[in-house]
Structures are given as C-alpha cells and as structure tokens.
Amino acid sequence: MEVGIVGKPNVGKSTFFKALTLVDAEIANFPFTTIKPNVGMAYVRVKCPCGDFHVSCSPQNSLCTEGSRFVPVKAIDVAGLVPGAHEGKGLGNQFMDDLRMADALIHVVDIAGRTDEKGEATQDHNPESDIKFLEEEIDLWFYGILKKNWAKISGKVKYSSKDLLKELTEQLSGLEIREYHVKEAVDDAGLADKTDWSDDELKSFAVKLRETAKPIVLAGNKIDLDNKGNYERLKDKYLLTPVCAEAELALRQAHASKIIHYLPGDGDFKILNEEIGDRQKNALYFIKANILQKYGSTGVQKCINTAVFDVLKMIVVYPVENENKLTDSKGNVLPDARLLPEGSTAIDLAYKVHTDIGDRFIGAIDCRTKKKIGREHVLKDGDVIKIITSR
C-alpha cells in the first residue's frame, strides 16, 4: 500500500512528508523543490493488543511504544503540481507518473491562503480553489486516457462481445486501478447498462473513478497562520484536517534528540531537558498553546490514519504461531502487525503471511476467544490469529 503526498509547490508538502517519515527531504522556498520523488516509511498508529493480553511485545515489522503500535505504510512525496499538469506542464508528466502507484492521496493545502495557484507567495488566496484544482487535474488526466482509447474499447464491447469492465480495467491497469474500482465508478456514474458513452459521460466516469481509485484526504497546513478563518469555512464541506507540519517536524526532532517525550498524534509532550535555551523552550510552548491545545494534535498523524483506516478501510491483524504465548517460532511476542482490507478472512491473512501458508491452510484460532475459526471467517481490527496448516 502506498500513500502519495501531493500539492502545489511551497505549501509545506515536503515538510509534511519529512515530519511524517523523518526522511531528509529537501525543503526550500522555490518551485519544484521536489524534482525526484522522495520515498519514505510513514506509520499509522493503533492500539497494540499487548495491553489487552498483559504481555510485553517484541515487534518485528512495526513498533510498539506505550501501548501504541506503529505500523509502516509506504509514502511518496511527489513533484509540486501546477495548473495544466495533465497536459505535461511544469513537472506534470512526472507528477502523474509518480501518482500512478498511490492507493490514496494526502493533499497538502496552504489553508492560510498565502501561496497562489503556482505556489508563489501572495495574500488572500482561496484554498478551496486548490482543493478543486487537484481534483480537476486528476479528472482530466483520467479523461484524457479514456478519450484517447474509448473508440477501441467501445468497439470491442459492441462488436466482439468483450466485457466492458474488463476492457476498461485493462486499459487503466497501469494506474493501479482494479476492476472493483471500475465497477464502482461505472455504477456511480449510472453507466452500467450503456456501451455508447457521450463525452460528458466519459467525463462523469473519470470523476467517479478518481473518487474511488485515488481518494483524497486534505491536510489544511499552516493552520497557525490561518487568520482568515479558511479552515472554519471549509471544514464541514471537505474531509479536511487542521495541520501544522512545521510543528510536527519540530516535535519529532526534539523527541529524537531527547529534549522532549512525544508520540506522534499526541495532544501534549513532556520536556525532558530543562537546560534548553529560551528560544527553543518558547517555540515548544507556542506549539503547545497554539496547535496542540487548540486542535488536539498537529494533524500529521491524523492525516495518515484517516487515509489508511477511514478512506482505504484497512484493519490491523496480528498473526502468531503459539496461541497461548502469542509468539512466533523464535519466541517474539505479537511479532507482526498486518494491514488488511476490511472484510478480509482468515484465508486472506494466511496468504498475506506467505503463499505456502495459504496453500496449506486448514483452520485458525482466534486468540482472544480461543475458538477455532474457518477460512471464511471475517476478521476484525485488532484480532490476534494463529493459523493452522497441514504438515
């Protein structure tokens, strides 16, 4: 799974990415700072089952801190987007190419309205236009691909009895679009029973396809500078989180330097080193008073959690080999946290662990209830599961 971090130049996108991953992304105040995509590992935060079972865990593919499990998710910081990207303007071709693999997008928006449509400094820019602009660029990108190939697709469906969904999926497969994405978009556009689509219907399908295949979470960055009330005006209209990426980056770096104790997503921190200078101490107090206490967090962790759990509808499941000790073969307690789509079954988990495990699956045990479950048993978020295999 991959989450793309997108937005105009100079809205704090690379700062957001660095705060999310602590990858040393280049950060500067000029267009196209991100020329080649930065790739890093972000982490969604969930409650670790170690507390429920009263055990000390030893994670192997994730992290556990104070009862919170941090599960890795690939994140990519793509080139800054400008108008006309779908036509290749700016770094548009690279932007679209980088975007292909993303399952969801976090759109970093300058909620303070201090950057114009090209990412240049201004005042009183309406951030809602940026929200619509990104959607329209992706819509036009999808539409351009469909328009170019529609005659061939519709011809195959009409004259060769080909399946419309399969033909569309094949055409769009390079964008990491699946048949279920296509079906949902076709149904939502009201085109399930039609093969002759008008130009307007192609555009409508492109919009629905973007909504289902590249869903967008909005990060209203620079919330500390929003003195125009843009966030309050837009928060009920969009899936919008108030964000201060600079504050999150400062907190994570201060934690790494053992100046403070802070967990990503927390609404507070504890100063560990009282010997720090007044300037740094004042900056921390500013973050606490104007970001954490006002909005509950810096918003960065909330964005990645929203993208993975609320938008992509994933759950976290913990496979173990010993249902009594909750260990793997090496004695590691609750070693792995696996992200799976909602509705996944025990057999899905088995194949997620390893193809051979799936092939030899004969049953599983729910470690919370100690009951045996079958291959079609639907898993829940936080389940701890032992998979039983044939020898």
Side-chain angles (χ1 to χ4, degrees):
M1 185 171 57
E2 183 172 307
V3 176
I5 313 302
V6 300
K8 298 183 310 186
N10 298 328
V11 296
K13 180 169 57 66
S14 291
T15 304
F16 181 96
F17 175 79
K18 185 174 181 181
L20 191 64
T21 62
L22 285 186
V23 168
D24 194 21
E26 184 180 2
I27 299 170
N29 187 32
F30 57 88
F32 309 129
T33 298
T34 306
I35 296 176
K36 293 183 179 180
N38 294 303
V39 178
M41 201 61 72
Y43 292 83
V44 290
R45 179 179 177 177
V46 296
K47 178 186 175 185
C48 183
C50 63
D52 296 337
F53 289 93
H54 306 291
V55 296
S56 295
C57 60
S58 40
Q60 300 300 296
N61 77 334
S62 47
L63 308 168
C64 182
T65 304
E66 299 173 25
S68 288
R69 183 69 74 111
F70 291 87
V71 185
V73 176
K74 186 178 179 183
I76 181 168
D77 172 24
V78 302
L81 185 62
V82 297
H86 70 281
E87 298 174 335
K89 294 180 181 177
L91 295 177
N93 290 332
Q94 182 172 325
F95 174 90
M96 296 303 179
D97 190 57
D98 294 340
L99 211 63
R100 289 183 306 110
M101 305 301 288
D103 297 288
L105 308 175
I106 296 176
H107 181 192
V108 182
V109 177
D110 179 357
I111 200 67
R114 298 192 179 192
T115 47
D116 65 16
E117 65 275 4
K118 294 182 180 180
E120 297 172 354
T122 188
Q123 295 290 329
D124 300 329
H125 180 73
N126 183 2
E128 186 171 17
S129 65
D130 297 333
I131 295 170
K132 293 179 178 178
F133 144 71
L134 178 71
E135 294 176 348
E136 289 169 358
E137 286 294 333
I138 298 174
D139 293 344
L140 290 169
W141 178 39
F142 283 179
Y143 167 72
I145 294 169
L146 291 163
K147 179 71 173 176
K148 181 180 178 180
N149 298 284
W150 179 246
K152 181 173 67 175
I153 294 170
S154 61
K156 285 185 178 181
V157 173
K158 283 192 291 185
Y159 304 118
S160 301
S161 300
K162 297 288 186 179
D163 183 85
L164 177 62
L165 295 182
K166 293 188 183 303
E167 291 301 314
L168 284 169
T169 303
E170 182 178 345
Q171 190 62 55
L172 297 164
S173 61
L175 306 176
E176 290 297 303
I177 291 174
R178 310 298 186 211
E179 188 170 332
Y180 68 88
H181 291 137
V182 174
K183 184 181 187 309
E184 185 175 337
V186 167
D187 291 343
D188 288 349
L191 298 170
D193 298 322
K194 298 187 67 174
T195 54
D196 288 317
W197 293 2
S198 68
D199 203 52
D200 285 343
E201 287 170 332
L202 269 180
K203 290 177 180 177
S204 176
F205 172 70
V207 171
K208 298 301 181 182
L209 188 64
R210 183 255 307 159
E211 292 174 352
T212 186
K214 305 293 179 187
I216 299 170
V217 172
L218 296 170
N221 195 32
K222 305 184 183 181
I223 189 65
D224 54 316
L225 302 177
D226 178 26
N227 54 20
K228 303 293 183 180
N230 290 322
Y231 170 70
E232 290 297 324
R233 177 170 58 87
L234 298 173
K235 68 178 183 178
D236 294 328
K237 189 173 180 180
Y238 297 96
L239 183 60
L240 178 63
T241 298
V243 170
C244 184
E246 281 195 352
E248 180 69 16
L249 180 57
L251 292 175
R252 292 201 188 195
Q253 290 176 330
H255 175 83
S257 300
K258 295 183 170 52
I259 294 169
I260 64 171
H261 175 72
Y262 170 72
L263 287 185
D266 277 359
D268 202 356
F269 58 84
K270 181 180 179 181
I271 294 180
L272 302 177
N273 182 2
E274 294 289 349
E275 302 303 317
I276 59 174
D278 289 343
R279 183 177 179 182
Q280 189 167 17
K281 191 175 289 187
N282 289 337
L284 289 170
Y285 286 142
F286 177 87
I287 291 171
K288 179 177 287 193
N290 294 279
I291 305 297
L292 301 182
Q293 292 179 353
K294 189 172 182 179
Y295 298 104
S297 75
T298 68
V300 173
Q301 186 65 51
K302 184 177 180 181
C303 284
I304 190 70
N305 269 47
T306 297
V308 172
F309 297 120
D310 298 340
V311 173
L312 293 177
K313 305 294 184 185
M314 305 296 284
I315 61 173
V316 182
V317 181
Y318 303 81
V320 298
E321 294 187 42
N322 186 312
E323 69 272 28
N324 297 311
K325 296 182 178 180
L326 308 180
T327 57
D328 61 12
S329 61
K330 297 179 180 178
N332 297 305
V333 179
L334 295 169
D336 293 334
R338 301 282 182 171
L339 282 164
L340 295 169
E342 280 185 5
S344 292
T345 60
I347 188 64
D348 294 328
L349 174 63
Y351 276 110
K352 180 79 170 178
V353 173
H354 196 281
T355 302
D356 186 52
I357 300 293
D359 289 342
R360 296 189 295 117
F361 178 94
I362 59 174
I365 295 174
D366 182 331
C367 296
R368 292 182 185 274
T369 64
K370 303 299 184 182
K371 292 181 179 179
K372 190 172 180 180
I373 57 177
R375 62 188 292 125
E376 300 304 324
H377 176 86
V378 177
L379 302 173
K380 303 184 300 298
D381 187 51
D383 273 353
V384 181
I385 303 294
K386 171 188 168 59
I387 299 166
I388 306 170
T389 59
S390 59
R391 294 187 180 276

